[in-house]
Amino acid sequence: MPSAQKSMRYGHTEGHTEVCFDDTGSCIVTCGSDGDVRIWENLDDDDPKSINVGEKAYSCAVKNGRLITAVSNNTVQIHTFPEGAPDGILTRFTTNANHVVFNSDGTKIAAGSSDFMVKVVEVTDSSKQKTFRGHNAPVLSLSFDPRDVYLASASCDGSVRVWKITDQTCTTSWPLLQKCNDVINAKSICRLGWQPGSGKLLAIPVDKVVKLYRRETWDSQFNLSDAFITQPLNVVAWSPCGQYLAAGSVDGGVVVWNVETQECIERTKHEKNYSICGLAWHPKYRQIAYTDTEGNLGLLENIGDGKKPNDEVASTVTKDYDDLFDGEDDDYLKGDMIEPQSSPKAGANEDDGDDDDLMPTSGHRRLAMIDDDDNSVDIGMIKANSNFPQREDDDDDGTGGFPALPPSSTQQPFYDGPMPTPKQKPFQPGSTPVHLMHRFMVWNSVGIIRCYNDEQDNAIDIEFHDTSVHHATHLPNSLNHTMADLSTEAILLACESTEELASKLHCIHFSSWDANKEWTVDMPKDEDIEAICLGQGWAACATSALLVRVFTVGGVQKEIFSLPGPVVSMAGHGEQLMIIYHRGTGFDGDQCLGVQLMELGKKKEQILHGEPLSLTKKSYLIWVGFSAEGTPCYVDSEGIVRMLNRGLGNTWIPVCNTREYCKGKSDHYWVVGIHENPQQLRCIPCKGARFPPTLPRPAVAILSFKLPYCQVTTEKGQMEEQYWRSVVFHNHMDYLSKNGYEIDENTKNQSVKEQQELLMKLFALSCKLEREFRCVELADLMTQNVVNLAIKYASRSRRLNLAQRLSEMAVEKASELAMALEYEDEEEDFRKHSSAGYSNSATERRQPPVRNVQQNQEMEDAEETDAYEEVEETPEEQKQRPNPFSKAVTSAEVTTPKSVLITSSSQGRVNPFKVSSNKKDAVVPAANVLDSMSKYSKKTSLSSSRAANKQNPPVIKPLIPKPKSKQALAASFFQARTHNSSEKTVEEREEKAGNESHEVKDTAPENTEKKRLKTGFQMWLEENRANILTDNPDLNEAEVIKEGMSRFRMLSSEERMVWTEKAKGGMVNDLTEDKKRKHPTADEDEAKKNQEQKSEDSNLSKKPKPSDQSTNVRLSAFAFKQS
């Protein structure tokens, strides 16, 4: 029957193009002058996998999961197939190689070069090379004798030679070709070939005929020719059975002969008459793939006599079953996802070019191969449609399927569902594949560990980015360590077990202060280390027994725990340990991974309990680690970088897509580190590969982060992205301060300022667009001070309704804040009494909800005007909000928000809950709040006037007892006010507040009886003031209180209790008198001035002694410091 010629398709850029099939025939492999090797599942594959091997690829060959290419940098390279991971250089020439071929069993390759040399190299050991000298011009092509005795070569010097491989001698030589000086000038590239199997005949294309020479005698047996051939033949190819011979000519003709009968059975012409330069037979079907000098790929099907291929296949469907689906396809069908021998050593490091799936999405896509016409056959389809029971032993010769046959124990029904994904192998973050001779064992923010494993040397080089940490080190690698990690304290190495030796964990603790800096631990028998990592003061390894073993950095064995599945990777930072493992089997190319995040410090708690790890579809994990600030991050094979968002319940947020920065489709970025402040993603650009070579030393590039928000081209989208990125990238500050680390207040203030500015810009934008509801939503995210600025902006924009709503929101925010803090104080107090030995982590747990910003004068003005307004509404609102913990609303609630604001401004973190007292007592909460007040005040009083301004909250300043009408409310925000910016003394504030606080008492007169006059600390300070001053005569008032505080805190809890009890003993007899002293505002101001004057003259203490000063007075003093 006539053959079917499929229309050609574009494969590579214009130039010499070669083609071959892989061992099973499941894909076509081509290479071309664009430097790419492409893997086509069939001729209609619109997205072939592409592996960039160099600037120009002259020749390629595939066998046993290895891809050999001759490239323009004068080397013959090896890559894994089909992944395309670089696997080293087999040999070099002084000019480029023109042709590479495998021998029949794939153990050797031969390469012929333009420097007249032919080399035969062993694939597994490239040091075993044989060189054949004798040609006097560039070598055109080569062919291995199937029995591995001879090698044939053709050259531009016009000769074809046969060499004996063992002793590198030339057995015979024929002057058959026209001489030329270079390959590009040759009339024919003379691709010759030995007959498969016996190697009885050697076919050589000479002008318009194919000459066949007999083995051993080297006589010309006969010539194959045909009238159809009008131009010189370029290339010949034998069918795998050795029965047919195909030849391609320089004008696009393809002819096939039956060698036994010497008759021509096929004649086909290239549709555009381009020169045929590549021919390859399918290993199982009667198909020929061919390429031309313009980079196109074509396919001839059903070559040969009238017997249809599908008749053959159907009749021997069982017998050939194993042959048809060997390697991975067989495994897919059986459902045992055993990786083929060509599969990657470490899934994470495969350079799979651009093919998104690690495996086909379904068996059929892979099995369809290349025959798509009516007469061809897809075994997968036959089996699926006939319900043919697949036998495991496959040795019967049944002809058809019987659907009614119940499957016996040895039979499996054909599975046609989604295919399981091969599980990704374990890997070390920042490492390159283990099979490379020169590789990175780890590249992280501390340094680089390289491993060299070649004929001369098996060694490990360690280099530190900062040589003050440690000098560079060179270690012998006698144990063949394959895993490494590096921290500022130690180097951790691990090796797999061998038949004689157990798997070992080896640590070099270079920061140790004693002389013995190294230790080694052997794993139990049959337990292999699969992943390792270092933290601060600890090391960990995950093993094949699904165990994680933790050690101190000095070698003490600590905790052991089980993993739910095989480990994929681990990372450590400080006290945090992150483990990624297989939760189960993924399908259709997806991995199914889980993540555990643990704290190994004093807390010893698990943060993430094996939650599923989010990965892009059909991708796998390639890097996992922590940012320099300690936030967990990971990267998948699609280039998406994700980071843990602690501000949203420990969810993962994508912060960068490195593919957006890649120029070519097969370029990638190899991540080596992440910084949150400044925001930097440090990675190495890899052209045409997934990872960098060790030499030359790769340069690190810095990419910026970008959250995938919508419409980032618009002003609104851009600012939203910037705002949330700032929030996400400053979450680490709260985490670190909770865990007792010092945080730079300037950095924190700067970040808050940046966020608030963006919110204000968004607010202004929404105002312009007349989206007032959106304005209120934005104001909800602002700090209190910026809300005031927003109110000012709204009213200037003549949006009084908006200004009104914002002012209501500001008041509500303040009271909610008060409630939250009151609740926390109560809870704190309760916790304090219920557990005596409780650590002071209360302050760690308590985050100030309101953060301060460095404002300009405008903000301060707005804030002050605002303060008046809110005061008028607050007292009533607060009466309506009952506190679940106190018997009645106390004035402590009213003033508590102040303490919050003060807290945030104080540089250090202190525990405000040191004074112990009886928990049954109703007045306890107030006592504690007050103590915290006095403690904070000592810090704030030292701060500058600007800091004092910052503390001004728009909170409850009781001046006028009764709220005004709404218009008055709105208007009063914008009253001009004189502002005295010189810093007033603590005493002034104290006295002023003393008078103001009477108003508060009126709002809840029934509560005042429950208030104490003085705290224990105040009474203690009065008695001990003299001692402090004698010890430190030059202290000013604030410093005296500070010193007093530290001394008071050094007392035992019993002594402090005694003072607290004394304070309780003080009678509240003067309160009633206080109640009557209500002044109008003018009198108040005058009284204030008098009192200020007095206090300055007499240099009274910050806590005045008159017994009628109530708790409210003292609270107000701290709540309303005004500059």
Side-chain angles (χ1 to χ4, degrees):
M1 62 165 271
S3 67
Q5 180 180 10
K6 304 196 96 179
S7 59
M8 297 192 77
R9 62 164 305 151
Y10 172 78
H12 297 268
T13 53
E14 178 184 340
H16 178 79
T17 312
E18 288 224 349
V19 63
C20 59
F21 283 93
D22 72 336
D23 305 344
T24 60
S26 60
C27 52
I28 307 172
V29 181
T30 60
C31 73
S33 54
D34 50 11
D36 285 335
V37 170
R38 298 217 162 87
I39 303 170
W40 313 76
E41 292 196 354
N42 53 44
L43 197 64
D44 305 321
D45 184 354
D46 286 329
D47 187 21
K49 181 172 172 174
S50 189
I51 304 165
N52 184 275
V53 292
E55 283 198 19
K56 210 168 183 183
Y58 293 99
S59 178
C60 67
V62 174
K63 217 177 195 75
N64 298 349
R66 293 191 177 94
L67 165 68
I68 307 291
T69 49
V71 284
S72 50
N73 62 357
N74 308 341
T75 62
V76 175
Q77 297 178 354
I78 184 165
H79 288 71
T80 60
F81 182 86
E83 297 78 31
D87 201 4
I89 289 172
L90 276 179
T91 187
R92 294 176 187 275
F93 294 95
T94 53
T95 61
N96 60 280
N98 296 313
H99 194 205
V100 287
V101 286
F102 269 108
N103 66 349
S104 52
D105 61 0
T107 55
K108 297 189 186 85
I109 67 116
S113 158
S114 290
D115 63 4
F116 315 172
M117 309 267 262
V118 175
K119 287 185 184 180
V120 171
V121 187
E122 286 207 14
V123 174
T124 49
D125 184 358
S126 58
S127 60
K128 294 179 180 166
Q129 297 195 3
K130 289 183 174 167
T131 307
F132 299 78
R133 293 181 170 86
H135 282 300
N136 301 316
V139 179
L140 287 167
S141 74
L142 302 161
S143 178
F144 265 112
D145 157 30
R147 296 186 190 171
D148 263 8
V149 180
Y150 299 111
L151 175 72
S153 63
S155 161
C156 292
D157 62 9
S159 69
V160 174
R161 290 176 180 240
V162 177
W163 311 84
K164 198 162 187 180
I165 297 172
T166 47
D167 54 9
Q168 292 153 263
T169 54
C170 178
T171 307
T172 185
S173 173
W174 303 285
L176 297 173
L177 312 173
Q178 194 172 332
K179 290 185 180 181
C180 59
N181 60 358
D182 200 358
V183 181
I184 50 169
N185 301 323
K187 273 199 170 173
S188 154
I189 55 172
C190 191
R191 291 279 193 262
L192 36 78
W194 293 89
Q195 188 174 19
S198 61
K200 188 173 133 190
L201 297 169
L202 171 64
I204 306 168
V206 181
D207 201 33
K208 297 169 198 161
V209 299
V210 178
K211 288 186 176 291
L212 288 107
Y213 287 84
R214 176 75 188 249
R215 184 196 182 92
E216 306 297 353
T217 64
W218 311 118
D219 300 335
S220 174
Q221 289 293 94
F222 53 89
N223 295 346
L224 295 174
S225 61
D226 191 80
F228 180 73
I229 303 166
T230 57
Q231 290 287 319
L233 294 171
N234 229 357
V235 51
V236 299
W238 289 88
S239 65
C241 60
Q243 194 181 347
Y244 303 105
L245 182 70
S249 72
V250 295
D251 65 347
V254 176
V255 285
V256 181
W257 290 275
N258 180 327
V259 178
E260 274 179 47
T261 61
Q262 298 182 30
E263 64 170 312
C264 182
I265 56 168
E266 288 293 348
R267 300 179 183 86
T268 312
K269 193 78 171 163
H270 186 296
E271 53 201 44
K272 291 189 176 162
N273 297 351
Y274 292 149
S275 174
I276 305 288
C277 54
L279 272 186
W281 283 78
H282 191 286
K284 299 195 178 75
Y285 302 142
R286 298 183 175 189
Q287 293 179 342
I288 295 177
Y290 60 98
T291 49
D292 62 31
T293 50
E294 295 293 315
N296 301 309
L297 169 66
L299 195 65
L300 281 177
E301 295 181 324
N302 306 327
I303 313 282
D305 48 19
K307 190 173 182 187
K308 293 203 270 183
N310 50 344
D311 297 342
E312 274 178 15
V313 175
S315 63
T316 57
V317 75
T318 4
K319 190 163 67 67
D320 291 348
Y321 188 73
D322 276 340
D323 299 339
L324 281 167
F325 304 104
D326 49 336
E328 51 192 336
D329 299 309
D330 200 11
D331 297 326
Y332 288 149
L333 288 176
K334 286 184 179 159
D336 315 329
M337 291 311 301
I338 305 158
E339 293 208 6
Q341 65 202 64
S342 64
S343 72
K345 193 84 173 153
N349 294 315
E350 302 166 24
D351 185 358
D352 63 1
D354 303 297
D355 142 53
D356 295 341
D357 14 12
L358 285 171
M359 56 152 290
T361 50
S362 79
H364 287 159
R365 192 169 130 218
R366 198 57 174 255
L367 300 172
M369 313 218 178
I370 297 144
D371 14 28
D372 302 305
D373 72 322
D374 313 346
N375 301 309
S376 61
V377 63
D378 173 357
I379 289 299
M381 292 309 286
I382 290 178
K383 296 215 133 188
N385 297 339
S386 66
N387 294 331
F388 184 84
Q390 182 191 332
R391 308 274 307 209
E392 296 202 0
D393 43 357
D394 275 345
D395 56 359
D396 62 332
D397 52 356
T399 47
F402 301 98
L405 241 181
S408 71
S409 58
T410 56
Q411 293 173 334
Q412 280 185 328
F414 181 83
Y415 172 67
D416 195 28
M419 284 296 167
T421 310
K423 283 185 176 173
Q424 176 176 351
K425 299 275 195 300
F427 71 95
Q428 284 298 113
S431 69
T432 53
V434 178
H435 59 265
L436 298 178
M437 286 196 294
H438 294 186
R439 61 181 285 254
F440 292 112
M441 293 180 84
V442 65
W443 182 322
N444 63 17
S445 55
V446 179
I448 304 168
I449 301 184
R450 292 185 187 80
C451 178
Y452 300 98
N453 186 3
D454 46 35
E455 306 84 69
Q456 295 86 29
D457 203 8
N458 189 354
I460 291 173
D461 271 346
I462 298 144
E463 170 193 327
F464 292 83
H465 299 316
D466 179 0
T467 46
S468 65
V469 174
H470 197 260
H471 56 78
T473 309
H474 181 82
L475 305 171
N477 189 12
S478 52
L479 289 170
N480 197 23
H481 291 298
T482 54
M483 290 159 265
D485 200 9
L486 184 62
S487 75
T488 50
E489 299 177 306
I491 299 158
L492 192 64
L493 301 165
C495 61
E496 293 168 349
S497 61
T498 59
E499 284 172 13
E500 306 84 40
L501 296 170
S503 181
K504 293 179 193 296
L505 186 69
H506 180 66
C507 180
I508 302 164
H509 182 203
F510 56 76
S511 67
S512 165
W513 43 263
D514 69 358
N516 297 324
K517 296 190 186 298
E518 298 190 27
W519 54 268
T520 304
V521 174
D522 284 16
M523 294 297 120
K525 192 176 184 323
D526 300 329
E527 191 175 324
D528 264 356
I529 296 173
E530 296 190 320
I532 59 173
C533 69
L534 279 166
Q536 197 174 349
W538 57 269
C541 67
T543 69
S544 54
L546 302 188
L547 289 178
V548 174
R549 299 173 178 273
V550 183
F551 302 82
T552 64
V553 75
V556 179
Q557 295 192 58
K558 290 182 79 185
E559 295 84 4
I560 295 179
F561 58 93
S562 286
L563 278 179
V567 72
V568 176
S569 197
M570 291 207 305
H573 181 280
E575 294 173 348
Q576 301 177 85
L577 166 64
M578 176 159 58
I579 307 161
I580 313 280
Y581 59 88
H582 287 287
R583 276 191 317 127
T585 301
F587 284 88
D588 280 349
D590 294 330
Q591 296 288 335
C592 178
L593 307 181
V595 57
Q596 283 189 1
L597 179 62
M598 319 187 64
E599 297 267 2
L600 295 179
K602 290 192 176 69
K603 290 184 192 170
K604 294 217 175 9
E605 61 182 349
Q606 204 167 338
I607 314 296
L608 296 175
H609 303 262
E611 279 84 347
L613 193 72
S614 328
L615 289 172
T616 315
K617 278 185 87 61
K618 296 192 190 312
S619 73
Y620 50 91
L621 190 68
I622 59 168
W623 186 86
V624 57
F626 290 84
S627 69
E629 291 77 10
T631 307
C633 309
Y634 65 93
V635 186
D636 64 30
S637 56
E638 288 299 302
I640 305 293
V641 183
R642 290 182 181 82
M643 180 182 273
L644 190 71
N645 185 359
R646 299 189 203 265
L648 188 64
N650 290 336
T651 48
W652 295 98
I653 179 168
V655 291
C656 182
N657 180 359
T658 60
R659 299 290 296 147
E660 287 180 0
Y661 297 93
C662 292
K663 292 190 175 74
K665 203 178 172 195
S666 52
D667 296 349
H668 295 87
Y669 278 95
W670 193 68
V671 175
V672 293
I674 291 175
H675 293 258
E676 292 176 77
N677 189 22
Q679 294 178 20
Q680 288 181 349
L681 176 63
R682 303 172 71 81
C683 39
I684 292 167
C686 305
K687 195 161 173 52
R690 279 203 176 270
F691 48 83
T694 51
L695 288 170
R697 184 194 173 96
V700 176
I702 291 175
L703 304 184
S704 51
F705 293 102
K706 188 164 132 200
L707 273 49
Y709 275 82
C710 304
Q711 296 180 317
V712 285
T713 47
T714 63
E715 201 181 353
K716 172 178 172 282
Q718 206 173 350
M719 288 193 288
E720 285 167 336
E721 190 272 337
Q722 285 172 2
Y723 171 76
W724 288 109
R725 178 152 44 86
S726 176
V727 169
V728 168
F729 278 84
H730 288 98
N731 279 340
H732 68 272
M733 292 193 169
D734 293 342
Y735 170 77
L736 291 174
S737 55
K738 263 187 203 173
N739 285 295
Y741 291 91
E742 290 265 326
I743 290 296
D744 179 17
E745 282 298 314
N746 289 344
T747 314
K748 187 161 183 171
N749 292 343
Q750 194 54 42
S751 71
V752 176
K753 183 180 179 188
E754 175 192 321
Q755 289 162 23
Q756 298 300 318
E757 278 175 2
L758 285 163
L759 285 174
M760 202 57 219
K761 284 178 188 168
L762 278 165
F763 180 89
L765 186 66
S766 303
C767 259
K768 274 184 201 150
L769 300 172
E770 299 189 354
R771 294 199 173 271
E772 297 195 2
F773 189 87
R774 188 182 288 169
C775 289
V776 175
E777 289 175 321
L778 287 165
D780 204 28
L781 300 168
M782 295 176 180
T783 60
Q784 216 120 24
N785 293 321
V786 183
V787 171
N788 302 334
L789 191 59
I791 293 169
K792 200 166 186 178
Y793 185 92
S795 65
R796 283 191 183 159
S797 314
R798 296 206 167 76
R799 302 190 188 285
L800 293 189
N801 183 21
L802 176 59
Q804 172 61 38
R805 283 180 187 281
L806 291 178
S807 61
E808 285 166 17
M809 175 197 277
V811 173
E812 204 172 309
K813 262 188 167 183
S815 54
E816 271 172 22
L817 211 68
M819 295 290 284
L821 211 81
E822 178 80 5
Y823 175 86
E824 231 171 77
D825 291 347
E826 296 274 5
E827 200 180 44
E828 199 53 66
D829 196 48
F830 175 75
R831 192 184 292 115
K832 186 160 179 190
H833 291 304
S834 57
S835 58
Y838 191 72
S839 76
N840 70 338
S841 61
T843 38
E844 292 169 14
R845 209 189 327 272
R846 174 162 142 197
Q847 285 300 305
V850 179
R851 293 176 286 187
N852 50 329
V853 194
Q854 298 180 338
Q855 279 96 17
N856 50 21
Q857 189 62 44
E858 194 181 13
M859 281 191 187
E860 288 164 13
D861 291 345
E863 173 201 333
E864 281 149 18
T865 36
D866 195 23
Y868 278 95
E869 214 31 73
E870 285 171 74
V871 163
E872 290 151 9
E873 285 183 61
T874 311
E876 288 198 7
E877 272 188 310
Q878 291 216 321
K879 277 189 226 168
Q880 292 155 14
R881 289 173 179 274
N883 179 350
F885 282 96
S886 64
K887 293 177 186 165
V889 182
T890 63
S891 62
E893 277 173 76
V894 180
T895 47
T896 316
K898 191 65 221 178
S899 74
V900 181
L901 286 146
I902 294 170
T903 315
S904 64
S905 81
S906 61
Q907 293 283 331
R909 303 178 75 67
V910 289
N911 182 358
F913 305 111
K914 286 289 187 191
V915 182
S916 55
S917 86
N918 185 352
K919 70 175 175 220
K920 291 176 196 141
D921 205 316
V923 293
V924 166
N928 275 345
V929 171
L930 198 52
D931 284 351
S932 72
M933 291 297 176
S934 54
K935 179 172 289 184
Y936 291 134
S937 70
K938 59 134 180 55
K939 299 207 169 183
T940 334
S941 60
L942 297 172
S943 54
S944 67
S945 69
R946 191 185 60 195
N949 271 335
K950 265 193 258 174
Q951 302 312 330
N952 259 338
V955 181
I956 315 143
K957 195 178 199 183
L959 297 175
I960 303 147
K962 194 166 85 206
K964 293 185 227 165
S965 68
K966 285 194 177 180
Q967 272 103 348
L969 248 164
S972 69
F973 274 111
F974 311 104
Q975 290 166 1
R977 234 177 122 236
T978 55
H979 180 60
N980 178 7
S981 61
S982 66
E983 167 145 32
K984 296 181 186 170
T985 62
V986 179
E987 295 93 301
E988 284 172 33
R989 284 186 218 119
E990 192 69 48
E991 297 292 353
K992 176 177 79 182
N995 290 326
E996 288 171 0
S997 66
H998 297 309
E999 283 303 306
V1000 181
K1001 274 180 264 174
D1002 276 56
T1003 60
E1006 71 275 24
N1007 299 335
T1008 44
E1009 259 61 59
K1010 296 194 175 80
K1011 289 288 172 195
R1012 288 190 275 98
L1013 286 177
K1014 290 190 177 161
T1015 62
F1017 168 66
Q1018 287 171 317
M1019 295 192 76
W1020 178 88
L1021 187 65
E1022 285 170 15
E1023 297 207 9
N1024 290 276
R1025 174 185 302 282
N1027 304 344
I1028 294 171
L1029 283 167
T1030 48
D1031 294 351
N1032 310 287
D1034 16 321
L1035 288 187
N1036 67 23
E1037 188 48 46
E1039 286 163 349
V1040 169
I1041 294 168
K1042 194 171 184 178
E1043 176 67 22
M1045 271 313 245
S1046 55
R1047 290 193 189 188
F1048 186 67
R1049 264 154 59 203
M1050 284 157 73
L1051 298 178
S1052 69
S1053 57
E1054 289 78 11
E1055 288 176 286
R1056 289 205 296 269
M1057 186 62 143
V1058 170
W1059 282 102
T1060 308
E1061 292 301 331
K1062 270 193 201 174
K1064 277 189 201 156
M1067 296 313 295
V1068 287
N1069 52 4
D1070 287 329
L1071 283 173
T1072 44
E1073 191 185 325
D1074 274 353
K1075 254 188 262 180
K1076 295 171 196 160
R1077 294 171 50 205
K1078 182 172 174 184
H1079 300 294
T1081 322
D1083 297 353
E1084 209 174 350
D1085 289 343
E1086 208 161 311
K1088 250 187 263 176
K1089 279 177 204 151
N1090 295 340
Q1091 282 174 328
E1092 283 163 15
Q1093 194 57 48
K1094 274 184 219 161
S1095 61
E1096 275 175 344
D1097 294 343
S1098 55
N1099 192 18
L1100 285 171
S1101 93
K1102 183 176 177 196
K1103 303 269 173 291
K1105 291 174 190 144
S1107 60
D1108 67 338
Q1109 188 187 14
S1110 70
T1111 309
N1112 289 343
V1113 178
R1114 289 197 299 277
L1115 280 165
S1116 306
F1118 298 107
F1120 302 109
K1121 287 180 304 179
Q1122 187 93 21
S1123 302

